[in-house]
Amino acid sequence: QKEVEQDPGPLSVPEGAIVSLNCTYSNSAFQYFMWYRQYSRKGPELLMYTYSSGNKEDGRFTAQVDKSSKYISLFIRDSQPSDSATYLCAMSNAGGTSYGKLTFGQGTILTVHP
Amino acid sequence: DADVTQTPRNRITKTGKRIMLECSQTKGHDRMYWYRQDPGLGLRLIYYSFDVKDINKGEISDGYSVSRQAQAKFSLSLESAIPNQTALYFCATSDPLSEQFFGPGTRLTVL
């Protein structure tokens, strides 16, 4: 069993829809949680970072962490065609620094059509 | 100029050949990483280096080796390439208090 499981998708939604992307994990040592966005033919770039249970908002994006259930989500409100990309969840354990080794989910391809 | 550069961007090679992928960064970070990305498998860590003298195996290091020539340079070698090493390879850098910054990737095909 992989340490991090991500809903594989792909997802195709109309512009303006609310998108929900999800990951579960099995390693209780994971304490830091990230969402990366990867456009086609590009490297991943950090979108959201959080380390506590609860919600964190940044514009149209909300990252949600539930450590008791080992479940994280990324919500995108009012989705735009420019949000079309692969979204990767990533996690890091509490040993060392928060930005040490990352374990990634498989990625979800999202397409937002006009 | 890009902060993290990778060369080559695309490479086609044959089974059994030795190849090297190179990564350079201008961010001044001590930490560098090599990942491979396969459809449905996400990013998997091959090797990582927390400083010039510190190199560690990641999740899938078999068949790969690395060299940290300087703080800014980290190379990945495939000693004898095989077809299941066909993948997208990413280099990344960070320091202890920053996110990982990724390069643009190298698309490698082993025939």
Side-chain angles (χ1 to χ4, degrees), chain A residues 16-95:
Chain A
I18 297 174
V19 176
S20 172
L21 304 166
N22 307 295
C23 290
T24 57
Y25 63 96
S26 57
N27 188 345
S28 298
F30 288 143
Q31 297 293 324
Y32 303 96
F33 306 94
M34 286 142 270
W35 286 95
Y36 278 79
R37 178 175 61 194
Q38 183 180 16
Y39 290 116
S40 181
R41 301 187 184 280
K42 301 284 188 182
E45 56 182 358
L46 185 66
L47 186 61
M48 298 282 286
Y49 162 80
T50 185
Y51 56 87
S52 58
S53 284
N55 294 349
K56 180 178 181 179
E57 269 192 41
D58 184 1
R60 296 183 296 109
F61 299 89
T62 299
Q64 184 178 83
V65 174
D66 182 347
K67 290 185 178 180
S68 63
S69 300
K70 298 188 178 65
Y71 188 91
I72 71 169
S73 298
L74 178 70
F75 298 97
I76 307 174
R77 292 184 300 280
D78 187 25
S79 56
Q80 302 295 310
S82 59
D83 295 328
S84 298
T86 297
Y87 290 80
L88 298 144
C89 63
M91 306 181 187
S92 178
N93 65 30

Coordinates of all heavy atoms in Angstrom, one line a residue, chain A residues 16-95:
Chain A
G16 N -16.4 27.7 -13.6 CA -17.3 28.2 -12.5 C -17.6 27.1 -11.4 O -18.1 27.4 -10.3
A17 N -17.3 25.9 -11.7 CA -17.6 24.8 -10.8 C -16.7 24.8 -9.6 O -15.6 25.4 -9.6 CB -17.5 23.5 -11.5
I18 N -17.1 24.2 -8.5 CA -16.3 24.0 -7.4 C -15.6 22.6 -7.5 O -16.3 21.6 -7.8 CB -17.1 24.0 -6.0 CG1 -17.7 25.4 -5.8 CG2 -16.2 23.6 -4.9 CD1 -18.6 25.4 -4.6
V19 N -14.3 22.6 -7.4 CA -13.5 21.4 -7.6 C -13.0 20.9 -6.2 O -12.5 21.7 -5.4 CB -12.3 21.6 -8.5 CG1 -11.5 20.3 -8.6 CG2 -12.8 22.0 -9.9
S20 N -13.1 19.6 -6.0 CA -12.5 19.0 -4.8 C -11.5 17.9 -5.1 O -11.8 17.0 -5.9 CB -13.7 18.3 -4.0 OG -13.2 17.6 -2.9
L21 N -10.3 18.1 -4.6 CA -9.2 17.1 -4.9 C -8.8 16.5 -3.5 O -8.7 17.3 -2.5 CB -8.0 17.8 -5.5 CG -8.3 18.6 -6.8 CD1 -7.2 19.5 -7.2 CD2 -8.6 17.6 -7.9
N22 N -8.6 15.2 -3.5 CA -8.4 14.6 -2.2 C -7.2 13.6 -2.2 O -6.9 13.0 -3.2 CB -9.7 13.8 -1.9 CG -10.9 14.6 -2.0 OD1 -11.1 15.6 -1.2 ND2 -11.8 14.3 -3.0
C23 N -6.7 13.5 -1.0 CA -5.6 12.5 -0.7 C -5.8 11.9 0.7 O -6.2 12.6 1.6 CB -4.2 13.2 -0.7 SG -3.7 13.7 -2.4
T24 N -5.5 10.6 0.8 CA -5.4 10.0 2.1 C -4.0 9.5 2.3 O -3.2 9.3 1.4 CB -6.4 8.8 2.2 OG1 -6.0 7.9 1.1 CG2 -7.8 9.2 2.0
Y25 N -3.6 9.3 3.6 CA -2.3 8.9 3.9 C -2.3 7.9 5.1 O -3.2 7.9 5.8 CB -1.3 10.1 4.1 CG -1.7 10.9 5.3 CD1 -1.1 10.7 6.6 CD2 -2.6 11.9 5.2 CE1 -1.4 11.5 7.7 CE2 -3.0 12.7 6.3 CZ -2.3 12.5 7.5 OH -2.7 13.3 8.6
S26 N -1.2 7.1 5.1 CA -1.2 6.1 6.2 C -0.1 6.4 7.2 O -0.2 5.8 8.3 CB -1.0 4.7 5.6 OG 0.2 4.7 4.8
N27 N 0.8 7.2 7.0 CA 1.9 7.5 7.9 C 1.6 8.6 8.8 O 1.5 9.7 8.5 CB 3.2 7.8 7.0 CG 4.4 7.9 7.9 OD1 4.4 8.0 9.1 ND2 5.6 7.9 7.2
S28 N 1.5 8.2 10.1 CA 1.1 9.2 11.1 C 2.2 10.2 11.3 O 2.0 11.3 12.0 CB 0.8 8.5 12.5 OG -0.3 7.6 12.3
A29 N 3.4 10.0 10.9 CA 4.5 10.9 11.1 C 4.4 12.1 10.1 O 5.1 13.1 10.3 CB 5.9 10.2 10.8
F30 N 3.6 12.0 9.1 CA 3.4 13.2 8.2 C 2.7 14.3 9.0 O 1.7 14.2 9.6 CB 2.5 12.8 7.0 CG 3.2 11.9 6.0 CD1 2.5 11.0 5.4 CD2 4.6 12.1 5.7 CE1 3.1 10.1 4.4 CE2 5.2 11.3 4.8 CZ 4.5 10.3 4.2
Q31 N 3.4 15.4 9.0 CA 2.9 16.6 9.7 C 2.8 17.8 8.9 O 2.1 18.8 9.3 CB 3.9 16.9 10.9 CG 3.9 15.8 11.9 CD 2.6 15.6 12.7 OE1 1.9 16.6 13.0 NE2 2.3 14.4 13.0
Y32 N 3.3 17.8 7.7 CA 3.3 19.0 6.8 C 2.7 18.6 5.5 O 3.1 17.5 4.9 CB 4.7 19.5 6.6 CG 5.4 19.9 7.9 CD1 6.2 19.0 8.6 CD2 5.2 21.1 8.5 CE1 6.8 19.3 9.8 CE2 5.7 21.4 9.7 CZ 6.6 20.5 10.4 OH 7.1 20.8 11.6
F33 N 1.8 19.4 5.0 CA 1.0 19.0 3.8 C 1.0 20.1 2.8 O 0.9 21.3 3.1 CB -0.4 18.7 4.3 CG -0.5 17.7 5.4 CD1 -0.5 18.1 6.7 CD2 -0.5 16.3 5.1 CE1 -0.5 17.2 7.8 CE2 -0.5 15.4 6.1 CZ -0.5 15.8 7.5
M34 N 1.2 19.7 1.5 CA 1.4 20.6 0.5 C 0.5 20.2 -0.7 O 0.3 19.0 -0.9 CB 2.8 20.7 0.0 CG 3.7 21.5 1.0 SD 5.4 20.8 1.1 CE 5.1 19.6 2.5
W35 N 0.2 21.2 -1.5 CA -0.4 20.9 -2.8 C 0.4 21.6 -3.9 O 0.7 22.8 -3.7 CB -1.9 21.5 -2.9 CG -2.8 20.6 -2.2 CD1 -3.3 20.8 -0.9 CD2 -3.5 19.4 -2.6 NE1 -4.2 19.8 -0.5 CE2 -4.3 18.9 -1.6 CE3 -3.5 18.7 -3.9 CZ2 -5.1 17.8 -1.7 CZ3 -4.2 17.6 -4.0 CH2 -5.0 17.1 -2.9
Y36 N 0.8 20.9 -4.9 CA 1.6 21.4 -6.0 C 0.7 21.4 -7.2 O -0.1 20.5 -7.4 CB 2.8 20.6 -6.3 CG 4.0 20.9 -5.4 CD1 4.1 20.4 -4.1 CD2 5.1 21.7 -5.8 CE1 5.2 20.7 -3.3 CE2 6.2 22.0 -5.0 CZ 6.2 21.5 -3.8 OH 7.3 21.8 -3.0
R37 N 0.9 22.4 -8.1 CA 0.2 22.4 -9.4 C 1.3 22.3 -10.5 O 2.3 22.9 -10.4 CB -0.5 23.8 -9.5 CG -1.2 24.0 -10.8 CD -2.0 25.3 -10.8 NE -1.1 26.4 -10.6 CZ -1.6 27.6 -10.3 NH1 -2.9 27.8 -10.1 NH2 -0.7 28.6 -10.1
Q38 N 1.0 21.5 -11.5 CA 1.9 21.2 -12.6 C 1.2 21.4 -13.9 O 0.3 20.6 -14.3 CB 2.5 19.8 -12.5 CG 3.5 19.5 -13.5 CD 4.0 18.0 -13.4 OE1 3.4 17.2 -12.7 NE2 5.1 17.8 -14.0
Y39 N 1.6 22.4 -14.6 CA 1.1 22.6 -16.0 C 1.8 21.7 -16.9 O 2.9 21.3 -16.7 CB 1.2 24.1 -16.4 CG 0.3 25.0 -15.7 CD1 0.8 26.0 -14.8 CD2 -1.1 25.0 -15.8 CE1 0.0 26.9 -14.1 CE2 -1.9 25.8 -15.1 CZ -1.4 26.8 -14.3 OH -2.2 27.7 -13.6
S40 N 1.2 21.5 -18.1 CA 1.8 20.6 -19.1 C 3.2 21.0 -19.5 O 3.4 22.2 -19.7 CB 0.9 20.5 -20.3 OG 1.4 19.6 -21.2
R41 N 4.1 20.1 -19.5 CA 5.5 20.3 -19.9 C 6.2 21.3 -18.9 O 7.2 21.9 -19.3 CB 5.6 20.8 -21.3 CG 5.0 19.9 -22.3 CD 5.2 20.3 -23.7 NE 4.5 19.4 -24.7 CZ 5.0 18.3 -25.1 NH1 6.1 17.8 -24.6 NH2 4.3 17.5 -25.9
K42 N 5.8 21.4 -17.7 CA 6.4 22.2 -16.7 C 6.7 21.4 -15.4 O 6.1 20.3 -15.2 CB 5.6 23.4 -16.3 CG 5.2 24.3 -17.5 CD 6.3 25.2 -17.9 CE 5.9 26.2 -18.9 NZ 7.0 27.0 -19.4
G43 N 7.6 21.9 -14.6 CA 7.8 21.3 -13.3 C 6.7 21.7 -12.3 O 6.0 22.8 -12.5
P44 N 6.5 20.9 -11.3 CA 5.5 21.3 -10.2 C 5.9 22.6 -9.5 O 7.0 22.9 -9.4 CB 5.5 20.1 -9.3 CG 6.1 19.0 -10.0 CD 7.1 19.7 -11.0
E45 N 4.8 23.4 -9.1 CA 5.1 24.6 -8.3 C 4.1 24.5 -7.1 O 3.0 24.1 -7.2 CB 4.9 25.8 -9.2 CG 3.5 25.9 -9.8 CD 3.4 27.2 -10.7 OE1 4.3 28.0 -10.7 OE2 2.3 27.3 -11.3
L46 N 4.7 25.0 -6.0 CA 3.9 25.0 -4.8 C 2.7 25.9 -4.8 O 2.8 27.1 -5.2 CB 4.7 25.4 -3.6 CG 4.1 25.3 -2.2 CD1 3.8 23.8 -1.9 CD2 4.9 25.9 -1.1
L47 N 1.5 25.3 -4.5 CA 0.3 26.1 -4.5 C -0.2 26.4 -3.1 O -0.5 27.6 -2.8 CB -0.8 25.3 -5.2 CG -2.2 25.9 -5.5 CD1 -2.0 27.1 -6.4 CD2 -3.1 24.9 -6.1
M48 N -0.2 25.4 -2.2 CA -0.6 25.6 -0.8 C 0.2 24.8 0.1 O 0.7 23.7 -0.2 CB -2.1 25.2 -0.6 CG -3.1 26.0 -1.5 SD -3.5 27.6 -0.8 CE -4.5 27.1 0.6
Y49 N 0.4 25.3 1.3 CA 1.2 24.6 2.4 C 0.5 24.8 3.7 O 0.1 25.9 4.0 CB 2.6 25.2 2.4 CG 3.4 24.9 3.7 CD1 4.0 23.6 3.8 CD2 3.5 25.8 4.7 CE1 4.7 23.3 5.0 CE2 4.2 25.5 5.9 CZ 4.8 24.2 6.0 OH 5.5 23.9 7.1
T50 N 0.4 23.7 4.5 CA -0.2 23.8 5.8 C 0.3 22.7 6.7 O 0.8 21.7 6.2 CB -1.8 23.7 5.7 OG1 -2.3 23.9 7.0 CG2 -2.2 22.3 5.2
Y51 N 0.3 22.9 8.0 CA 0.8 22.0 8.9 C -0.2 21.6 10.0 O 0.1 20.9 10.9 CB 2.1 22.4 9.5 CG 2.1 23.8 10.2 CD1 1.7 23.9 11.5 CD2 2.4 24.9 9.5 CE1 1.6 25.1 12.1 CE2 2.3 26.1 10.1 CZ 2.0 26.2 11.4 OH 1.9 27.4 12.0
S52 N -1.3 22.2 10.1 CA -2.2 22.0 11.1 C -3.6 21.5 10.6 O -3.9 21.8 9.4 CB -2.4 23.2 12.0 OG -2.9 24.3 11.2
S53 N -4.3 20.8 11.4 CA -5.7 20.4 11.0 C -6.5 21.7 10.9 O -6.3 22.6 11.6 CB -6.3 19.4 12.0 OG -5.7 18.2 11.9
G54 N -7.5 21.6 9.9 CA -8.3 22.7 9.7 C -8.2 23.2 8.3 O -7.7 22.5 7.4
N55 N -8.7 24.4 8.1 CA -8.7 25.0 6.7 C -7.8 26.2 6.6 O -7.5 26.9 7.5 CB -10.1 25.5 6.4 CG -11.2 24.4 6.3 OD1 -10.8 23.2 6.3 ND2 -12.4 24.8 6.3
K56 N -7.2 26.3 5.4 CA -6.4 27.4 5.0 C -6.8 28.0 3.7 O -6.9 27.2 2.7 CB -4.9 27.1 5.0 CG -4.0 28.2 4.7 CD -2.5 27.7 4.7 CE -1.6 28.9 4.3 NZ -0.1 28.4 4.4
E57 N -7.1 29.3 3.6 CA -7.6 29.8 2.4 C -6.6 30.7 1.7 O -5.8 31.4 2.4 CB -8.9 30.7 2.7 CG -10.2 30.0 2.6 CD -11.4 30.9 2.6 OE1 -11.3 32.0 1.9 OE2 -12.4 30.6 3.3
D58 N -6.6 30.7 0.4 CA -5.7 31.6 -0.3 C -6.5 31.9 -1.6 O -6.4 31.1 -2.6 CB -4.4 31.0 -0.6 CG -3.4 32.0 -1.3 OD1 -3.9 33.1 -1.6 OD2 -2.3 31.6 -1.6
G59 N -7.2 33.0 -1.6 CA -8.0 33.4 -2.8 C -9.1 32.3 -3.1 O -9.9 32.0 -2.2
R60 N -9.1 31.8 -4.3 CA -10.1 30.8 -4.7 C -9.7 29.4 -4.1 O -10.5 28.4 -4.3 CB -10.2 30.7 -6.2 CG -10.8 32.0 -6.8 CD -11.0 31.9 -8.3 NE -9.7 31.7 -9.0 CZ -9.4 30.5 -9.6 NH1 -10.2 29.5 -9.5 NH2 -8.2 30.4 -10.3
F61 N -8.6 29.2 -3.5 CA -8.1 27.9 -3.1 C -8.3 27.7 -1.6 O -7.9 28.7 -0.8 CB -6.7 27.7 -3.5 CG -6.5 27.8 -5.0 CD1 -6.2 29.0 -5.6 CD2 -6.5 26.6 -5.7 CE1 -6.0 29.0 -7.0 CE2 -6.3 26.6 -7.1 CZ -6.1 27.9 -7.7
T62 N -8.7 26.6 -1.1 CA -8.8 26.2 0.3 C -8.2 24.8 0.5 O -8.6 23.9 -0.2 CB -10.2 26.2 0.8 OG1 -10.8 27.5 0.6 CG2 -10.3 25.8 2.3
A63 N -7.2 24.8 1.4 CA -6.6 23.5 1.7 C -7.2 23.1 3.1 O -7.3 23.9 4.0 CB -5.1 23.6 1.8
Q64 N -7.6 21.8 3.1 CA -8.2 21.3 4.3 C -7.4 20.1 4.8 O -7.1 19.2 4.0 CB -9.7 20.9 4.0 CG -10.5 20.4 5.2 CD -11.9 20.1 4.8 OE1 -12.2 19.1 4.3 NE2 -12.8 21.1 5.0
V65 N -7.1 20.0 6.1 CA -6.4 18.9 6.6 C -7.2 18.3 7.8 O -7.6 19.0 8.7 CB -5.0 19.3 7.1 CG1 -4.3 18.1 7.8 CG2 -4.2 19.7 5.9
D66 N -7.4 17.0 7.8 CA -8.0 16.3 8.9 C -7.0 15.2 9.4 O -7.0 14.1 8.8 CB -9.3 15.7 8.5 CG -10.0 15.0 9.7 OD1 -9.4 14.7 10.7 OD2 -11.2 14.6 9.5
K67 N -6.2 15.5 10.4 CA -5.1 14.5 10.8 C -5.7 13.3 11.4 O -5.2 12.2 11.4 CB -4.1 15.2 11.7 CG -3.2 16.2 11.0 CD -2.2 16.8 12.0 CE -1.3 17.8 11.3 NZ -0.2 18.3 12.2
S68 N -6.9 13.5 12.1 CA -7.5 12.3 12.8 C -7.9 11.3 11.8 O -7.9 10.1 12.0 CB -8.6 12.7 13.7 OG -9.6 13.3 12.9
S69 N -8.3 11.7 10.6 CA -8.8 10.8 9.5 C -7.7 10.6 8.5 O -7.9 9.8 7.6 CB -10.0 11.3 8.8 OG -11.1 11.5 9.8
K70 N -6.6 11.2 8.6 CA -5.5 11.1 7.7 C -6.0 11.4 6.3 O -5.8 10.6 5.3 CB -4.8 9.8 7.7 CG -4.1 9.5 9.1 CD -3.3 8.2 9.0 CE -2.6 7.9 10.3 NZ -3.6 7.6 11.4
Y71 N -6.5 12.6 6.1 CA -7.2 13.0 4.9 C -7.0 14.5 4.6 O -7.1 15.3 5.5 CB -8.7 12.7 5.1 CG -9.6 12.9 3.9 CD1 -9.8 11.8 3.1 CD2 -10.2 14.1 3.6 CE1 -10.7 11.8 2.0 CE2 -11.0 14.2 2.5 CZ -11.3 13.1 1.7 OH -12.1 13.1 0.6
I72 N -6.6 14.8 3.4 CA -6.4 16.2 3.0 C -7.2 16.5 1.7 O -7.4 15.6 0.9 CB -5.0 16.6 2.9 CG1 -4.3 16.0 1.7 CG2 -4.2 16.3 4.2 CD1 -2.9 16.6 1.4
S73 N -7.6 17.7 1.6 CA -8.4 18.1 0.4 C -7.9 19.5 -0.1 O -7.4 20.3 0.7 CB -9.9 18.2 0.7 OG -10.4 16.9 1.1
L74 N -8.1 19.7 -1.3 CA -7.9 21.0 -1.9 C -9.2 21.4 -2.7 O -9.7 20.6 -3.5 CB -6.7 21.1 -2.9 CG -6.5 22.4 -3.6 CD1 -6.0 23.4 -2.6 CD2 -5.6 22.2 -4.8
F75 N -9.8 22.5 -2.3 CA -11.0 23.0 -3.0 C -10.6 24.2 -3.8 O -9.9 25.1 -3.4 CB -12.1 23.4 -1.9 CG -12.5 22.2 -1.1 CD1 -12.0 22.1 0.2 CD2 -13.5 21.3 -1.5 CE1 -12.4 21.0 1.0 CE2 -13.9 20.3 -0.7 CZ -13.3 20.1 0.5
I76 N -11.2 24.2 -5.0 CA -11.0 25.3 -5.9 C -12.4 25.9 -6.2 O -13.3 25.2 -6.8 CB -10.3 24.9 -7.3 CG1 -9.0 24.2 -7.0 CG2 -10.1 26.2 -8.1 CD1 -8.4 23.6 -8.3
R77 N -12.6 27.2 -5.8 CA -13.9 27.8 -6.1 C -13.8 28.5 -7.4 O -12.8 29.0 -7.8 CB -14.2 28.8 -5.0 CG -14.5 28.2 -3.7 CD -15.0 29.2 -2.6 NE -13.9 30.2 -2.4 CZ -12.9 30.0 -1.7 NH1 -12.7 28.9 -1.0 NH2 -12.0 31.0 -1.5
D78 N -15.0 28.7 -8.1 CA -15.1 29.4 -9.3 C -14.0 29.0 -10.3 O -13.1 29.9 -10.7 CB -15.0 30.9 -9.0 CG -15.3 31.8 -10.2 OD1 -16.0 31.3 -11.2 OD2 -14.8 33.0 -10.3
S79 N -13.9 27.8 -10.6 CA -12.8 27.3 -11.3 C -12.7 27.9 -12.7 O -13.7 28.3 -13.3 CB -12.9 25.7 -11.5 OG -14.1 25.4 -12.1
Q80 N -11.5 28.1 -13.2 CA -11.2 28.8 -14.5 C -10.4 27.9 -15.4 O -9.7 27.0 -14.9 CB -10.4 30.0 -14.2 CG -11.0 31.0 -13.2 CD -12.3 31.6 -13.8 OE1 -12.3 32.1 -14.9 NE2 -13.3 31.6 -13.0
P81 N -10.6 28.1 -16.7 CA -9.8 27.3 -17.6 C -8.3 27.3 -17.3 O -7.6 26.3 -17.5 CB -10.1 27.9 -19.0 CG -11.5 28.4 -18.8 CD -11.5 29.0 -17.4
S82 N -7.8 28.4 -16.7 CA -6.4 28.5 -16.4 C -6.0 27.6 -15.2 O -4.8 27.4 -14.9 CB -6.0 29.9 -16.0 OG -6.8 30.4 -15.0
D83 N -7.0 27.0 -14.5 CA -6.7 26.0 -13.5 C -6.5 24.6 -14.0 O -6.1 23.7 -13.2 CB -7.9 26.0 -12.5 CG -8.2 27.3 -11.7 OD1 -7.2 28.0 -11.4 OD2 -9.3 27.6 -11.5
S84 N -6.7 24.4 -15.3 CA -6.4 23.1 -15.9 C -5.0 22.7 -15.7 O -4.1 23.4 -16.2 CB -6.8 23.1 -17.4 OG -8.2 23.4 -17.5
A85 N -4.7 21.7 -15.0 CA -3.3 21.3 -14.7 C -3.4 19.9 -14.0 O -4.5 19.4 -13.7 CB -2.7 22.3 -13.8
T86 N -2.2 19.4 -13.6 CA -2.2 18.2 -12.7 C -1.9 18.8 -11.3 O -1.0 19.6 -11.1 CB -1.1 17.3 -13.2 OG1 -1.4 16.7 -14.5 CG2 -0.9 16.1 -12.2
Y87 N -2.7 18.3 -10.4 CA -2.5 18.7 -9.0 C -2.0 17.5 -8.2 O -2.5 16.4 -8.2 CB -3.9 19.1 -8.4 CG -4.3 20.4 -9.0 CD1 -4.9 20.5 -10.3 CD2 -4.1 21.6 -8.3 CE1 -5.3 21.7 -10.8 CE2 -4.4 22.9 -8.9 CZ -5.0 22.9 -10.2 OH -5.4 24.1 -10.7
L88 N -0.9 17.8 -7.4 CA -0.2 16.7 -6.7 C -0.2 17.1 -5.2 O 0.2 18.2 -4.8 CB 1.2 16.6 -7.1 CG 1.5 16.2 -8.6 CD1 2.7 17.0 -9.1 CD2 1.7 14.7 -8.7
C89 N -0.7 16.2 -4.4 CA -0.5 16.4 -2.9 C 0.9 15.9 -2.5 O 1.4 15.0 -3.2 CB -1.6 15.7 -2.1 SG -1.7 13.9 -2.2
A90 N 1.4 16.4 -1.5 CA 2.8 16.0 -1.0 C 2.8 16.2 0.5 O 2.1 17.1 1.1 CB 3.9 16.9 -1.7
M91 N 3.6 15.3 1.1 CA 3.6 15.3 2.6 C 5.0 15.1 3.1 O 5.9 14.5 2.4 CB 2.7 14.2 3.1 CG 1.3 14.3 2.6 SD 0.3 13.0 3.2 CE -1.2 13.4 2.1
S92 N 5.3 15.7 4.3 CA 6.6 15.5 4.9 C 6.5 15.2 6.3 O 5.5 15.6 7.0 CB 7.4 16.9 4.7 OG 8.6 16.8 5.3
N93 N 7.4 14.5 6.9 CA 7.3 14.1 8.3 C 7.9 15.1 9.2 O 8.5 16.1 8.8 CB 7.8 12.7 8.5 CG 9.3 12.7 8.3 OD1 10.0 13.6 8.5 ND2 9.8 11.5 7.9
A94 N 7.7 15.0 10.5 CA 8.1 15.9 11.4 C 9.6 15.8 11.8 O 10.1 16.7 12.4 CB 7.3 15.8 12.7
G95 N 10.2 14.7 11.4 CA 11.6 14.6 11.7 C 12.4 15.5 10.8 O 12.1 15.7 9.6

